[in-house]
Amino acid sequence: MTTELLSLLLVGLLGATLWIPFVVGVNTTEFAGKTTSFERPPSPAAMLPWVHRAYRAHLNLLEQLLPFAIVVLIANELAVSTAVTRFAASSFVALRLVHAVGMISGLARMPLRPLVFTAGWVTITAIGVEVLRVAL
């Protein structure tokens, strides 16, 4: 398994489990508008700050997971695995972990959180550019 595919697997597993803090928070805390009828999801704005941040951390990961998966799978299909793609893919995993922990805990505040998110975008772009460079 290439470093890039391993990174995709790890980020996929993170995405598959990052809903857990949100669900735990929703079910163990009280907030305005919370009901047991399941007719409508509760408003994230009414939740405790860490629960709302857990929700956003999961959404932020999903926003970057699809583009990351696309560039990694195309790189794999074209047999493009360079120092740039390996470093960028590994960095993406680390950045997503830092982003999730920092966001849920509240430690990653402005400007750190958006900088980490942007660095994730840079890694995705670097893989895509490298695929274009090598494959064309």
Side-chain angles (χ1 to χ4, degrees):
M1 178 182 297
T2 65
T3 300
E4 298 86 349
L5 285 179
L6 176 60
S7 297
L8 179 57
L9 173 65
L10 293 173
V11 173
L13 290 171
L14 179 62
T17 56
L18 201 52
W19 58 270
I20 295 171
F22 171 69
V23 170
V24 168
V26 166
N27 288 298
T28 61
T29 62
E30 293 298 323
F31 52 88
K34 182 176 179 179
T35 66
T36 58
S37 65
F38 299 109
E39 292 173 7
R40 174 179 225 128
S43 169
M47 298 174 189
L48 292 177
W50 78 266
V51 179
H52 187 200
R53 288 192 307 268
Y55 174 73
R56 290 294 306 145
H58 188 233
L59 289 180
N60 284 168
L61 173 61
L62 296 179
E63 290 169 1
Q64 287 194 324
L65 179 56
L66 180 61
F68 179 70
I70 289 169
V71 296
V72 166
L73 292 173
I74 290 172
N76 187 68
E77 181 64 25
L78 297 176
V80 176
S81 181
T82 67
V84 170
T85 61
R86 289 188 297 273
F87 178 76
S90 299
S91 297
F92 185 78
V93 175
L95 288 164
R96 293 315 314 178
L97 283 169
V98 167
H99 187 272
V101 170
M103 189 158 185
I104 294 169
S105 69
L107 295 174
R109 297 180 185 219
M110 292 292 278
L112 181 59
R113 191 175 68 237
L115 288 174
V116 172
F117 186 86
T118 302
W121 171 80
V122 168
T123 64
I124 295 167
T125 303
I127 295 169
V129 168
E130 188 72 355
V131 168
L132 290 172
R133 186 189 70 77
V134 172
L136 291 181

